[in-house]
Amino acid sequence: MEVMKYSSSGNDFLIFHNALHNDGTRPSLAQSMCDRHNGIGADGMVVLIPAANKPYAYEWEFYNADGSCANMCGNASRAVGHYAYMEGIAPSKHSFLSAVGLIGIEVDTSNTSLVQSDLGGWSVLGGNIIESNPYKVSSWTLLDTGVPHLVGFVSQMGDLPKLKDDCLRALRVKYNANITLVFAQKEQIFYMSYERGVEDITLSCGTGAAAAFVMAFENNLCSRYAKLIPPSKEILELRVNEDSHILFKGAVKAIARCEWLL
């Protein structure tokens, strides 16, 4: 089976289409392929299902590295959009169907490494949440940007954790959400996300960037446009359009075409 490995700002994925029937083995396939020692290695696996005579180009199934499904993944949406365009599955501007609805994609034809996703809107699930933590976060907000994120602001760059710890894991389990910490500095927003399904701090998280941006925007810490900087240091551009949708743009790259022996 042919698989493409992609990186979206350090978040890496394995992508294929029309290779396997959905016979219930995809979660275990994701675990095997995403294993960084005995597999190809990735944060997640995506299956494209081309859709004929539909108002969208394809559907997708997204699996975390542990085999669990996720409704959405912002960085994977950009990688998948690039893959679909380069493989001739979809035009440069198209949409696909995810578990949270239609996701709009636009590949920059003058520089095809740049891809923008329309992630839709967001919803606040809970605010002013008080949790003891070592990051000096006074209160947290739980919101959904395709998947849930518990978001907190730190006052210094140095308070952003670089390694996973017990507190991040405990908060992740308690709220069944990704944990995103943010340091906002004018139009530059630094953030990190501890992702469920990966159970670690990833080099970049797309829905985490969206969550960090939304909270900075709602707290008047940035305008309708900002640059987000994840641990990978690759710059992501986010803005809120007139429909209150989050537009998410950044570079993606195809790393390797792999053959997985079933």
Side-chain angles (χ1 to χ4, degrees), residues 16-18 22 26 47-51 56-61:
F16 64 88
H17 70 281
N18 278 355
N22 192 2
R26 285 178 181 165
V47 186
L48 269 70
I49 306 164
Y56 47 85
Y58 49 91
E59 300 177 26
W60 88 344
E61 292 178 8

Side-chain angles (χ1 to χ4, degrees), residues 21-34:
H21 295 295
N22 192 2
D23 56 2
T25 62
R26 285 178 181 165
S28 60
L29 178 64
Q31 287 180 308
S32 298
M33 289 206 303
C34 292

